[in-house]
Amino acid sequence: MRGVTLAELEELYRVRGSDYERVAIALTGDEGLGCDAVQEAFVRAVRGRARFRGSGPVGAWVWRIVVNEAHRRRDARRDEPGLPDKRVAATESDNSDSVYDNSDSVYVRGLIAELPQRQRLVLFLRYYADLDYATIAEVLDISTGTVAATLHRAHARLDHDLQEVRQWRM
């Protein structure tokens, strides 16, 4: 076992902490939950640092912990009664009089939220965290080819859904 040092984890948090938070917030759909998920993930990483096998980058190992913790918190929140549906909230806030319609971005976030979990994860890790395909593959324990195919399917589905919206608005 290789293990990881506290200094390595501290440096990783200093350099990439905002990236971890951005992805965790996107995964949980809530800023507080996302930030809490990152904090708990780093606590888990510090406590489990001796178990790091060194078979991949430390950053990928921490990403996996962050993703798992964000999912855990999101799933626990789903069990709470009375949470609004994101897509309904997006369409209810539609204000077509503005030049830049902020509800469009809310609607797109709703479409992303409806993607299958793996597609959402790959999108978030690629575009929110700016990870390369190899690191995403390591984080999600899949091949780089699967990363590419999953990202392609996510793009295709979003493109299709957005084409429908464009046609509907015309």
Side-chain angles (χ1 to χ4, degrees):
M1 278 193 190
R2 175 192 174 294
V4 62
T5 67
L6 281 175
E8 287 175 294
L9 291 172
E10 287 174 11
E11 179 67 13
L12 192 59
Y13 185 78
R14 254 192 313 281
V15 172
R16 301 293 309 259
S18 62
D19 295 333
Y20 290 116
E21 286 179 355
R22 191 170 34 255
V23 170
I25 289 166
L27 291 174
T28 61
D30 180 271
E31 186 174 358
L33 285 177
C35 291
D36 289 348
V38 171
Q39 293 301 314
E40 181 60 27
F42 271 87
V43 167
R44 288 175 187 244
V46 166
R47 288 181 180 155
R49 68 188 183 276
R51 291 188 303 272
F52 175 67
R53 295 184 305 258
S55 60
V58 173
W61 177 69
V62 173
W63 271 113
R64 186 175 296 178
I65 297 169
V66 169
V67 165
N68 289 338
E69 185 60 28
H71 282 153
R72 190 185 71 71
R73 288 175 185 267
R74 182 204 61 215
D75 293 345
R77 183 166 185 227
R78 275 190 190 151
D79 294 337
E80 295 177 19
L83 291 176
D85 179 88
K86 290 178 186 174
R87 199 160 184 195
V88 170
T91 57
E92 288 174 353
S93 68
D94 192 15
N95 177 5
S96 56
D97 294 336
S98 67
V99 174
Y100 172 73
D101 193 350
N102 191 40
S103 66
D104 286 346
S105 65
V106 173
Y107 189 77
V108 170
R109 283 192 300 253
L111 293 176
I112 291 170
E114 291 178 356
L115 289 172
Q117 179 177 333
R118 181 181 282 177
Q119 290 179 16
R120 272 193 330 271
L121 275 173
V122 170
L123 276 175
F124 291 147
L125 293 173
R126 179 69 189 110
Y127 298 113
Y128 282 52
D130 196 29
L131 299 181
D132 60 34
Y133 285 27
T135 304
I136 295 169
E138 177 76 25
V139 169
L140 300 180
D141 197 25
I142 59 178
S143 72
T144 54
T146 301
V147 171
T150 302
L151 191 58
H152 175 76
R153 283 191 302 275
H155 286 154
R157 179 161 172 193
L158 290 172
D159 185 52
H160 174 266
D161 290 348
L162 290 171
Q163 288 291 338
E164 285 183 357
V165 169
R166 285 184 203 113
Q167 291 173 359
W168 177 72
R169 287 189 173 183
M170 291 183 159

